[in-house]
Amino acid sequence: MLTKRPFLLTTLSLLTSYAAAAQTAAAPAGPQPTDILSWLAGGLAVVVLIFGLMTATSLAAVAADAAQSAPTDNAARPATPVPEAAAEANVVLPAPAAVPTEQVVAA
């Protein structure tokens, strides 16, 4: 009884599902909404890829121009400017004030 009943119920449900599937209309020809959404997602991905490539190309061009115009050796670079008053009077400039590393926060 335990094997006959599940077998009959399974067979009956399969036959009714096949009969119901045979009565449904055929799928309409033409693009389905999922196809259109996938085309839209693919087109958007292509646009993002093109913009990314254009941005990378322009950044590489700017970096190449900056690298060509920059001086390559230390002799071509200008020396760091010295304040004129300190250079003429041979005055030692004071060290900057120490900045406290701890901050007190009122609770």
Side-chain angles (χ1 to χ4, degrees):
M1 180 72 184
L2 292 176
T3 58
K4 185 177 178 184
R5 183 175 179 199
F7 174 74
L8 290 176
L9 289 175
T10 304
T11 306
L12 182 62
S13 64
L14 286 175
L15 286 176
T16 52
S17 66
Y18 288 143
Q23 294 177 0
T24 59
Q32 299 298 318
T34 55
D35 293 337
I36 293 172
L37 289 177
S38 64
W39 292 341
L40 182 64
L44 184 64
V46 168
V47 168
V48 168
L49 179 65
I50 289 172
F51 279 128
L53 288 173
M54 289 173 51
T55 303
T57 304
S58 65
L59 288 175
V62 168
D65 289 342
Q68 288 178 353
S69 65
T72 56
D73 58 345
N74 290 336
R77 293 184 185 167
T80 55
V82 178
E84 294 178 16
E88 291 176 1
N90 292 333
V91 177
V92 177
L93 296 175
V99 179
T101 57
E102 295 180 15
Q103 295 181 352
V104 179
V105 179

Coordinates of all heavy atoms in Angstrom, one line a residue:
M1 N 0.8 -1.2 0.0 CA 0.0 0.0 0.0 C 0.9 1.3 0.0 O 0.5 2.3 -0.6 CB -0.9 0.0 1.2 CG -1.8 1.1 1.3 SD -3.1 1.1 0.1 CE -3.9 2.6 0.3
L2 N 2.0 1.2 0.7 CA 2.8 2.4 0.8 C 3.5 2.7 -0.5 O 3.8 3.9 -0.8 CB 3.9 2.2 1.9 CG 3.3 2.2 3.3 CD1 4.4 2.0 4.3 CD2 2.6 3.5 3.6
T3 N 3.8 1.7 -1.4 CA 4.4 2.0 -2.7 C 3.4 2.2 -3.8 O 3.7 2.9 -4.7 CB 5.3 0.9 -3.0 OG1 4.6 -0.3 -3.1 CG2 6.5 0.7 -2.0
K4 N 2.2 1.6 -3.7 CA 1.2 1.7 -4.7 C 0.6 3.1 -4.7 O 0.4 3.7 -5.8 CB 0.2 0.7 -4.6 CG -0.8 0.6 -5.7 CD -1.8 -0.5 -5.4 CE -2.9 -0.6 -6.5 NZ -3.9 -1.6 -6.2
R5 N 0.2 3.6 -3.6 CA -0.5 4.9 -3.5 C 0.4 6.1 -4.0 O 0.0 6.9 -4.8 CB -0.9 5.2 -2.1 CG -1.7 6.4 -1.9 CD -2.3 6.6 -0.5 NE -3.0 7.8 -0.4 CZ -3.3 8.4 0.7 NH1 -2.9 7.9 1.8 NH2 -3.9 9.6 0.7
P6 N 1.7 6.2 -3.5 CA 2.5 7.3 -4.0 C 2.8 7.2 -5.5 O 2.8 8.2 -6.2 CB 3.9 7.2 -3.3 CG 3.5 6.4 -2.0 CD 2.4 5.5 -2.4
F7 N 2.9 6.0 -6.0 CA 3.1 5.8 -7.5 C 1.9 6.3 -8.2 O 2.0 7.0 -9.2 CB 3.4 4.3 -7.8 CG 3.4 4.0 -9.2 CD1 4.5 4.4 -10.0 CD2 2.4 3.4 -9.9 CE1 4.6 4.1 -11.3 CE2 2.4 3.1 -11.2 CZ 3.5 3.5 -11.9
L8 N 0.7 5.9 -7.8 CA -0.5 6.4 -8.5 C -0.7 7.9 -8.4 O -1.1 8.5 -9.3 CB -1.8 5.7 -7.9 CG -1.8 4.2 -8.2 CD1 -3.0 3.5 -7.5 CD2 -2.0 3.9 -9.7
L9 N -0.4 8.5 -7.2 CA -0.6 9.9 -7.1 C 0.4 10.7 -8.0 O 0.1 11.7 -8.6 CB -0.4 10.3 -5.6 CG -1.5 10.0 -4.7 CD1 -1.2 10.3 -3.2 CD2 -2.8 10.7 -5.1
T10 N 1.6 10.2 -8.0 CA 2.7 10.8 -8.9 C 2.3 10.7 -10.3 O 2.4 11.7 -11.1 CB 4.0 10.1 -8.6 OG1 4.3 10.2 -7.3 CG2 5.1 10.8 -9.4
T11 N 1.8 9.5 -10.8 CA 1.4 9.4 -12.1 C 0.2 10.3 -12.5 O 0.2 10.9 -13.6 CB 1.0 7.9 -12.4 OG1 2.1 7.0 -12.0 CG2 0.7 7.6 -13.9
L12 N -0.7 10.3 -11.6 CA -1.9 11.2 -11.8 C -1.5 12.7 -11.9 O -2.0 13.4 -12.8 CB -2.9 11.0 -10.7 CG -4.2 11.8 -10.9 CD1 -5.0 11.4 -12.1 CD2 -5.1 11.6 -9.6
S13 N -0.6 13.1 -11.1 CA -0.2 14.5 -11.1 C 0.6 14.8 -12.3 O 0.5 15.9 -12.9 CB 0.6 14.9 -9.8 OG 1.8 14.1 -9.8
L14 N 1.5 13.9 -12.8 CA 2.2 14.1 -14.0 C 1.3 14.2 -15.2 O 1.5 15.0 -16.1 CB 3.2 13.0 -14.2 CG 4.5 13.0 -13.3 CD1 5.3 11.8 -13.5 CD2 5.3 14.3 -13.6
L15 N 0.3 13.3 -15.3 CA -0.6 13.3 -16.4 C -1.4 14.6 -16.4 O -1.6 15.2 -17.5 CB -1.6 12.1 -16.3 CG -0.9 10.8 -16.7 CD1 -1.9 9.6 -16.5 CD2 -0.5 10.8 -18.1
T16 N -1.9 15.1 -15.3 CA -2.6 16.4 -15.3 C -1.7 17.5 -15.6 O -2.2 18.5 -16.3 CB -3.3 16.6 -13.9 OG1 -2.3 16.5 -12.9 CG2 -4.4 15.6 -13.7
S17 N -0.5 17.5 -15.2 CA 0.4 18.6 -15.6 C 0.7 18.6 -17.0 O 0.8 19.7 -17.7 CB 1.7 18.6 -14.7 OG 2.4 17.4 -15.0
Y18 N 0.9 17.4 -17.6 CA 1.1 17.4 -19.1 C -0.1 17.8 -19.8 O 0.0 18.5 -20.9 CB 1.5 15.9 -19.5 CG 2.9 15.5 -19.0 CD1 3.1 14.2 -18.6 CD2 4.0 16.4 -19.0 CE1 4.4 13.8 -18.2 CE2 5.2 16.0 -18.6 CZ 5.4 14.7 -18.2 OH 6.6 14.3 -17.8
A19 N -1.3 17.5 -19.4 CA -2.5 17.9 -20.0 C -2.7 19.4 -19.9 O -3.1 20.1 -20.9 CB -3.7 17.2 -19.4
A20 N -2.3 20.0 -18.8 CA -2.5 21.4 -18.6 C -1.4 22.2 -19.5 O -1.7 23.2 -20.1 CB -2.3 21.8 -17.2
A21 N -0.2 21.6 -19.6 CA 0.8 22.3 -20.4 C 0.4 22.2 -21.9 O 0.8 23.1 -22.7 CB 2.1 21.6 -20.2
A22 N -0.2 21.1 -22.3 CA -0.6 21.0 -23.7 C -1.7 22.0 -24.1 O -1.8 22.3 -25.3 CB -1.1 19.6 -24.0
Q23 N -2.5 22.5 -23.2 CA -3.6 23.4 -23.5 C -3.1 24.9 -23.5 O -3.9 25.7 -23.9 CB -4.7 23.2 -22.5 CG -5.4 21.9 -22.6 CD -6.4 21.7 -21.5 OE1 -6.7 22.6 -20.7 NE2 -7.1 20.5 -21.6
T24 N -1.9 25.2 -23.0 CA -1.5 26.6 -23.0 C -1.1 27.0 -24.4 O -0.7 26.2 -25.2 CB -0.3 26.8 -22.0 OG1 0.8 25.9 -22.5 CG2 -0.6 26.4 -20.6
A25 N -1.3 28.3 -24.7 CA -1.0 28.8 -26.0 C 0.5 28.9 -26.2 O 1.3 28.9 -25.2 CB -1.6 30.2 -26.1
A26 N 0.9 28.9 -27.4 CA 2.4 28.9 -27.7 C 2.9 30.3 -27.3 O 2.2 31.3 -27.3 CB 2.6 28.7 -29.2
A27 N 4.2 30.4 -27.0 CA 4.8 31.6 -26.7 C 4.8 32.6 -27.8 O 5.0 32.2 -29.0 CB 6.2 31.4 -26.2
P28 N 4.5 33.9 -27.6 CA 4.4 34.8 -28.7 C 5.8 35.0 -29.3 O 6.8 35.0 -28.6 CB 3.9 36.1 -28.1 CG 4.2 36.0 -26.6 CD 4.2 34.5 -26.3
A29 N 5.8 35.2 -30.6 CA 7.1 35.5 -31.3 C 7.5 36.9 -31.0 O 6.7 37.8 -30.8 CB 6.9 35.3 -32.8
G30 N 8.8 37.1 -31.0 CA 9.3 38.5 -30.8 C 10.1 38.5 -29.4 O 10.1 37.5 -28.7
P31 N 10.7 39.7 -29.2 CA 11.5 39.8 -27.9 C 10.6 39.7 -26.7 O 9.5 40.3 -26.6 CB 12.2 41.1 -28.1 CG 11.3 41.9 -29.0 CD 10.7 40.9 -29.9
Q32 N 11.1 39.0 -25.7 CA 10.4 39.0 -24.4 C 10.9 40.1 -23.5 O 12.0 40.6 -23.8 CB 10.6 37.6 -23.8 CG 10.1 36.4 -24.6 CD 8.6 36.5 -24.8 OE1 7.9 36.8 -23.9 NE2 8.1 36.2 -26.0
P33 N 10.2 40.5 -22.5 CA 10.7 41.5 -21.6 C 12.1 41.2 -21.0 O 12.9 42.1 -20.8 CB 9.7 41.6 -20.5 CG 8.4 41.1 -21.1 CD 8.9 40.0 -22.1
T34 N 12.4 40.0 -20.7 CA 13.7 39.6 -20.2 C 14.8 39.9 -21.2 O 15.9 40.2 -20.9 CB 13.7 38.2 -19.7 OG1 13.3 37.3 -20.7 CG2 12.8 38.0 -18.5
D35 N 14.5 39.6 -22.5 CA 15.4 39.9 -23.5 C 15.7 41.4 -23.6 O 16.9 41.8 -23.8 CB 14.9 39.3 -24.9 CG 14.8 37.8 -24.9 OD1 15.5 37.2 -24.1 OD2 14.0 37.3 -25.7
I36 N 14.7 42.2 -23.6 CA 14.9 43.6 -23.7 C 15.7 44.1 -22.5 O 16.6 45.0 -22.7 CB 13.5 44.3 -23.8 CG1 12.9 43.9 -25.2 CG2 13.7 45.8 -23.7 CD1 11.5 44.4 -25.3
L37 N 15.4 43.6 -21.3 CA 16.2 44.1 -20.1 C 17.6 43.7 -20.2 O 18.5 44.4 -19.8 CB 15.5 43.5 -18.9 CG 14.2 44.2 -18.5 CD1 13.6 43.5 -17.2 CD2 14.3 45.7 -18.2
S38 N 17.9 42.5 -20.7 CA 19.3 42.0 -20.9 C 20.0 42.9 -21.9 O 21.2 43.2 -21.8 CB 19.3 40.5 -21.2 OG 18.8 40.3 -22.4
W39 N 19.3 43.2 -23.0 CA 19.9 44.1 -24.0 C 20.2 45.5 -23.4 O 21.3 46.0 -23.7 CB 19.0 44.3 -25.2 CG 18.8 43.0 -26.0 CD1 19.6 41.9 -26.1 CD2 17.7 42.8 -27.0 NE1 19.1 41.0 -26.9 CE2 17.9 41.5 -27.5 CE3 16.7 43.6 -27.4 CZ2 17.1 41.0 -28.4 CZ3 15.8 43.0 -28.3 CH2 16.0 41.7 -28.8
L40 N 19.3 46.0 -22.6 CA 19.5 47.3 -22.0 C 20.7 47.2 -21.0 O 21.6 48.1 -21.0 CB 18.3 47.7 -21.2 CG 18.3 49.1 -20.5 CD1 18.5 50.2 -21.6 CD2 17.0 49.3 -19.7
A41 N 20.8 46.1 -20.2 CA 21.9 46.0 -19.3 C 23.2 45.8 -20.0 O 24.3 46.4 -19.7 CB 21.7 44.8 -18.4
G42 N 23.2 45.1 -21.1 CA 24.4 44.9 -21.9 C 24.9 46.2 -22.6 O 26.1 46.6 -22.6
G43 N 23.9 47.0 -23.1 CA 24.2 48.3 -23.7 C 24.8 49.3 -22.7 O 25.7 50.0 -22.9
L44 N 24.2 49.3 -21.5 CA 24.7 50.1 -20.4 C 26.1 49.7 -20.0 O 27.0 50.6 -19.8 CB 23.8 50.1 -19.2 CG 24.1 51.0 -18.0 CD1 24.0 52.4 -18.5 CD2 23.2 50.7 -16.9
A45 N 26.4 48.4 -20.0 CA 27.8 48.0 -19.6 C 28.7 48.4 -20.7 O 29.9 48.8 -20.4 CB 27.8 46.5 -19.5
V46 N 28.4 48.4 -22.0 CA 29.2 48.8 -23.0 C 29.5 50.3 -22.9 O 30.7 50.8 -23.1 CB 28.6 48.5 -24.4 CG1 29.4 49.2 -25.5 CG2 28.6 47.0 -24.6
V47 N 28.5 51.1 -22.6 CA 28.7 52.6 -22.5 C 29.6 52.9 -21.3 O 30.6 53.7 -21.4 CB 27.3 53.3 -22.3 CG1 27.5 54.7 -21.8 CG2 26.5 53.2 -23.6
V48 N 29.5 52.2 -20.2 CA 30.4 52.4 -19.0 C 31.8 52.0 -19.4 O 32.7 52.6 -19.0 CB 29.8 51.6 -17.8 CG1 30.9 51.5 -16.7 CG2 28.5 52.2 -17.3
L49 N 31.9 50.9 -20.1 CA 33.3 50.4 -20.5 C 33.9 51.5 -21.4 O 35.1 51.8 -21.3 CB 33.2 49.1 -21.2 CG 34.5 48.5 -21.8 CD1 35.4 48.2 -20.6 CD2 34.2 47.3 -22.6
I50 N 33.2 52.0 -22.4 CA 33.7 53.1 -23.3 C 34.2 54.3 -22.5 O 35.3 54.8 -22.7 CB 32.7 53.4 -24.4 CG1 32.6 52.2 -25.4 CG2 33.2 54.7 -25.1 CD1 31.5 52.4 -26.4
F51 N 33.3 54.8 -21.6 CA 33.7 55.9 -20.8 C 34.9 55.6 -19.9 O 35.8 56.5 -19.7 CB 32.5 56.4 -19.9 CG 31.5 57.2 -20.6 CD1 30.2 56.9 -20.6 CD2 31.9 58.3 -21.3 CE1 29.3 57.7 -21.3 CE2 31.0 59.1 -22.0 CZ 29.7 58.8 -22.0
G52 N 35.0 54.4 -19.4 CA 36.2 54.1 -18.6 C 37.5 54.1 -19.4 O 38.5 54.5 -19.0
L53 N 37.4 53.6 -20.6 CA 38.5 53.6 -21.5 C 38.9 55.0 -21.9 O 40.1 55.3 -22.0 CB 38.3 52.7 -22.8 CG 38.2 51.2 -22.5 CD1 37.8 50.5 -23.8 CD2 39.6 50.7 -22.1
M54 N 38.0 55.8 -22.2 CA 38.3 57.2 -22.5 C 38.9 57.9 -21.3 O 39.9 58.7 -21.5 CB 37.0 57.9 -23.0 CG 36.5 57.5 -24.3 SD 34.9 58.2 -24.7 CE 35.1 59.9 -24.5
T55 N 38.4 57.7 -20.1 CA 39.0 58.4 -19.0 C 40.4 57.9 -18.7 O 41.3 58.7 -18.5 CB 38.2 58.1 -17.7 OG1 36.8 58.5 -18.0 CG2 38.7 58.7 -16.5
A56 N 40.7 56.6 -18.8 CA 42.0 56.0 -18.6 C 43.0 56.6 -19.7 O 44.1 56.9 -19.4 CB 42.0 54.5 -18.7
T57 N 42.5 56.7 -20.9 CA 43.4 57.2 -22.0 C 43.7 58.6 -21.8 O 44.9 59.0 -21.9 CB 42.7 57.0 -23.4 OG1 42.3 55.7 -23.5 CG2 43.6 57.5 -24.5
S58 N 42.8 59.5 -21.3 CA 43.1 60.9 -21.1 C 44.0 61.0 -19.9 O 44.9 61.9 -19.9 CB 41.8 61.7 -21.0 OG 41.1 61.3 -19.8
L59 N 43.8 60.2 -18.9 CA 44.7 60.3 -17.7 C 46.1 59.9 -18.0 O 47.1 60.5 -17.6 CB 44.1 59.5 -16.5 CG 42.9 60.0 -15.8 CD1 42.4 59.0 -14.8 CD2 43.2 61.3 -15.2
A60 N 46.2 58.9 -18.9 CA 47.6 58.4 -19.3 C 48.2 59.5 -20.1 O 49.5 59.7 -20.0 CB 47.4 57.1 -20.1
A61 N 47.5 60.2 -21.0 CA 48.1 61.3 -21.8 C 48.5 62.4 -21.0 O 49.6 63.0 -21.2 CB 47.1 61.7 -22.8
V62 N 47.7 62.8 -20.0 CA 48.1 63.9 -19.1 C 49.4 63.5 -18.3 O 50.3 64.3 -18.1 CB 47.0 64.3 -18.1 CG1 47.4 65.2 -17.0 CG2 45.9 64.9 -18.9
A63 N 49.4 62.3 -17.8 CA 50.6 61.8 -17.0 C 51.8 61.8 -17.9 O 52.9 62.1 -17.4 CB 50.3 60.4 -16.4
A64 N 51.7 61.4 -19.2 CA 52.9 61.3 -20.1 C 53.3 62.8 -20.3 O 54.6 63.0 -20.4 CB 52.5 60.6 -21.4
D65 N 52.4 63.7 -20.5 CA 52.8 65.1 -20.8 C 53.5 65.7 -19.5 O 54.5 66.4 -19.6 CB 51.6 66.0 -21.1 CG 51.1 65.7 -22.5 OD1 51.9 65.1 -23.3 OD2 50.0 66.1 -22.8
A66 N 53.0 65.3 -18.3 CA 53.7 65.8 -17.1 C 55.0 65.2 -16.9 O 56.0 65.9 -16.5 CB 52.8 65.5 -15.9
A67 N 55.2 64.0 -17.3 CA 56.5 63.3 -17.1 C 57.5 63.9 -18.1 O 58.7 64.0 -17.8 CB 56.3 61.8 -17.3
Q68 N 57.1 64.3 -19.3 CA 58.0 64.8 -20.3 C 58.4 66.2 -19.9 O 59.5 66.6 -20.2 CB 57.4 64.8 -21.7 CG 57.3 63.4 -22.2 CD 56.7 63.4 -23.6 OE1 56.1 64.4 -24.1 NE2 56.7 62.2 -24.2
S69 N 57.5 67.0 -19.3 CA 57.8 68.4 -19.0 C 58.6 68.6 -17.7 O 59.1 69.6 -17.5 CB 56.6 69.2 -19.0 OG 55.7 68.8 -18.0
A70 N 58.6 67.6 -16.9 CA 59.3 67.7 -15.6 C 60.8 67.5 -15.7 O 61.2 66.8 -16.6 CB 58.7 66.6 -14.6
P71 N 61.6 68.3 -15.0 CA 63.0 68.1 -15.0 C 63.4 66.8 -14.5 O 62.8 66.2 -13.6 CB 63.6 69.3 -14.2 CG 62.4 69.7 -13.3 CD 61.2 69.3 -14.0
T72 N 64.5 66.2 -15.1 CA 64.8 64.8 -14.8 C 66.0 64.8 -13.8 O 66.2 63.8 -13.1 CB 65.2 64.1 -16.0 OG1 66.3 64.8 -16.7 CG2 64.0 63.9 -16.9
D73 N 66.8 65.8 -13.7 CA 68.0 65.7 -12.8 C 67.9 66.9 -11.8 O 67.2 67.8 -11.9 CB 69.3 65.8 -13.5 CG 69.4 67.0 -14.4 OD1 68.4 67.7 -14.6 OD2 70.5 67.3 -14.8
N74 N 68.7 66.7 -10.7 CA 68.7 67.7 -9.6 C 69.3 69.0 -10.0 O 69.0 70.1 -9.4 CB 69.4 67.2 -8.4 CG 68.5 66.1 -7.7 OD1 67.3 66.0 -7.9 ND2 69.2 65.2 -7.0
A75 N 70.2 69.0 -11.0 CA 70.9 70.3 -11.4 C 69.9 71.2 -12.1 O 70.0 72.4 -12.0 CB 72.0 70.0 -12.3
A76 N 68.9 70.7 -12.7 CA 68.0 71.5 -13.5 C 66.9 72.1 -12.5 O 66.2 73.1 -12.9 CB 67.3 70.7 -14.6
R77 N 66.7 71.5 -11.4 CA 65.7 72.0 -10.4 C 66.2 73.3 -9.7 O 67.4 73.3 -9.3 CB 65.4 71.0 -9.4 CG 64.7 69.8 -10.0 CD 64.3 68.8 -8.9 NE 63.7 67.6 -9.5 CZ 63.5 66.5 -8.9 NH1 63.8 66.4 -7.6 NH2 63.0 65.4 -9.5
P78 N 65.4 74.2 -9.5 CA 65.8 75.4 -8.8 C 66.0 75.1 -7.3 O 65.4 74.2 -6.7 CB 64.7 76.4 -9.0 CG 63.5 75.5 -9.2 CD 64.0 74.3 -10.0
A79 N 66.9 75.8 -6.7 CA 67.2 75.5 -5.2 C 66.0 76.1 -4.4 O 65.3 76.9 -4.9 CB 68.5 76.3 -4.8
T80 N 65.9 75.5 -3.2 CA 64.8 76.0 -2.4 C 65.1 77.4 -1.9 O 66.2 77.8 -1.6 CB 64.7 75.1 -1.1 OG1 66.0 75.1 -0.4 CG2 64.3 73.7 -1.5
P81 N 64.1 78.3 -2.0 CA 64.3 79.7 -1.7 C 64.6 79.9 -0.2 O 64.0 79.3 0.6 CB 63.0 80.4 -2.1 CG 62.0 79.3 -2.0 CD 62.7 78.0 -2.4
V82 N 65.6 80.8 0.1 CA 66.0 81.1 1.4 C 65.5 82.5 1.7 O 65.6 83.4 0.9 CB 67.5 81.1 1.6 CG1 67.9 81.5 3.0 CG2 68.0 79.7 1.3
P83 N 64.8 82.8 2.8 CA 64.4 84.1 3.1 C 65.6 85.1 3.0 O 66.7 84.8 3.6 CB 63.8 84.0 4.5 CG 63.5 82.6 4.7 CD 64.5 81.8 3.9
E84 N 65.4 86.3 2.4 CA 66.5 87.2 2.2 C 67.0 87.8 3.5 O 68.2 88.0 3.6 CB 66.0 88.3 1.2 CG 65.7 87.8 -0.2 CD 65.2 88.9 -1.0 OE1 65.4 90.1 -0.7 OE2 64.6 88.6 -2.1
A85 N 66.1 88.1 4.4 CA 66.6 88.6 5.7 C 67.5 87.7 6.4 O 68.5 88.1 7.0 CB 65.4 89.0 6.5
A86 N 67.2 86.4 6.4 CA 68.0 85.4 7.1 C 69.3 85.2 6.4 O 70.3 84.9 7.0 CB 67.2 84.1 7.3
A87 N 69.3 85.3 5.1 CA 70.5 85.0 4.3 C 71.5 86.2 4.5 O 72.7 86.0 4.6 CB 70.2 84.8 2.8
E88 N 71.0 87.4 4.6 CA 71.9 88.6 4.7 C 72.5 88.7 6.1 O 73.6 89.1 6.3 CB 71.1 89.8 4.3 CG 70.8 89.9 2.8 CD 69.9 91.1 2.5 OE1 69.7 91.9 3.4 OE2 69.6 91.3 1.3
A89 N 71.6 88.5 7.1 CA 72.1 88.8 8.5 C 72.6 87.5 9.1 O 73.0 87.6 10.3 CB 70.9 89.3 9.3
N90 N 72.6 86.4 8.5 CA 73.1 85.1 9.1 C 72.4 84.9 10.4 O 73.0 84.5 11.4 CB 74.6 85.1 9.3 CG 75.3 85.1 8.0 OD1 74.8 84.6 7.0 ND2 76.5 85.6 7.9
V91 N 71.1 85.1 10.4 CA 70.3 84.9 11.6 C 69.7 83.4 11.5 O 69.2 83.0 10.5 CB 69.1 85.9 11.6 CG1 68.3 85.6 12.8 CG2 69.7 87.3 11.7
V92 N 69.8 82.8 12.6 CA 69.2 81.4 12.7 C 67.7 81.6 12.9 O 67.3 82.2 13.9 CB 69.9 80.6 13.8 CG1 69.2 79.2 13.9 CG2 71.4 80.5 13.5
L93 N 66.9 81.0 12.1 CA 65.5 81.1 12.3 C 65.1 80.2 13.4 O 65.6 79.1 13.6 CB 64.8 80.6 11.0 CG 65.0 81.5 9.8 CD1 64.3 80.9 8.6 CD2 64.4 82.9 10.0
P94 N 64.1 80.6 14.3 CA 63.6 79.7 15.4 C 62.9 78.5 14.8 O 62.3 78.5 13.8 CB 62.7 80.7 16.2 CG 62.2 81.7 15.2 CD 63.4 81.9 14.2
A95 N 63.0 77.5 15.6 CA 62.3 76.2 15.3 C 60.8 76.4 15.5 O 60.4 77.2 16.3 CB 62.8 75.1 16.2
P96 N 60.0 75.8 14.7 CA 58.6 75.9 14.9 C 58.2 75.4 16.3 O 58.8 74.5 16.8 CB 58.0 75.0 13.8 CG 59.1 74.2 13.2 CD 60.4 74.9 13.6
A97 N 57.1 75.9 16.8 CA 56.6 75.6 18.1 C 56.1 74.1 18.1 O 55.6 73.6 17.1 CB 55.4 76.5 18.5
A98 N 56.4 73.5 19.2 CA 56.0 72.1 19.3 C 54.5 72.0 19.4 O 53.8 72.7 20.1 CB 56.6 71.4 20.6
V99 N 54.0 71.0 18.7 CA 52.5 70.8 18.6 C 52.2 69.7 19.6 O 52.8 68.6 19.5 CB 52.0 70.4 17.2 CG1 50.6 70.2 17.2 CG2 52.4 71.5 16.2
P100 N 51.3 69.9 20.5 CA 50.9 68.8 21.5 C 50.3 67.7 20.7 O 49.5 67.8 19.8 CB 49.9 69.5 22.4 CG 49.4 70.6 21.7 CD 50.5 71.1 20.8
T101 N 50.7 66.5 21.1 CA 50.2 65.3 20.5 C 48.9 64.7 21.1 O 48.2 64.0 20.5 CB 51.2 64.2 20.5 OG1 51.6 63.9 21.8 CG2 52.4 64.6 19.7
E102 N 48.7 65.2 22.3 CA 47.4 64.7 23.0 C 46.4 65.8 23.0 O 46.7 67.0 23.2 CB 47.8 64.3 24.5 CG 48.7 63.1 24.6 CD 48.9 62.8 26.0 OE1 48.2 63.3 26.9 OE2 49.8 62.0 26.3
Q103 N 45.2 65.5 22.9 CA 44.1 66.4 22.9 C 43.2 66.1 24.1 O 42.9 64.9 24.3 CB 43.3 66.4 21.6 CG 44.1 66.8 20.4 CD 43.2 66.8 19.1 OE1 42.1 66.3 19.2 NE2 43.8 67.3 18.0
V104 N 42.9 67.1 24.8 CA 42.0 66.9 26.0 C 40.6 67.2 25.5 O 40.3 68.3 24.9 CB 42.4 67.8 27.1 CG1 41.4 67.6 28.3 CG2 43.8 67.6 27.5
V105 N 39.7 66.3 25.7 CA 38.3 66.4 25.3 C 37.4 66.5 26.5 O 37.5 65.6 27.4 CB 37.9 65.2 24.4 CG1 36.4 65.4 24.0 CG2 38.8 65.1 23.2
A106 N 36.6 67.5 26.6 CA 35.7 67.7 27.8 C 34.6 66.7 27.6 O 34.0 66.7 26.5 CB 35.2 69.1 27.9
A107 N 34.3 66.0 28.7 CA 33.2 65.0 28.6 C 31.9 65.7 28.9 O 31.7 66.6 29.5 CB 33.5 63.9 29.5

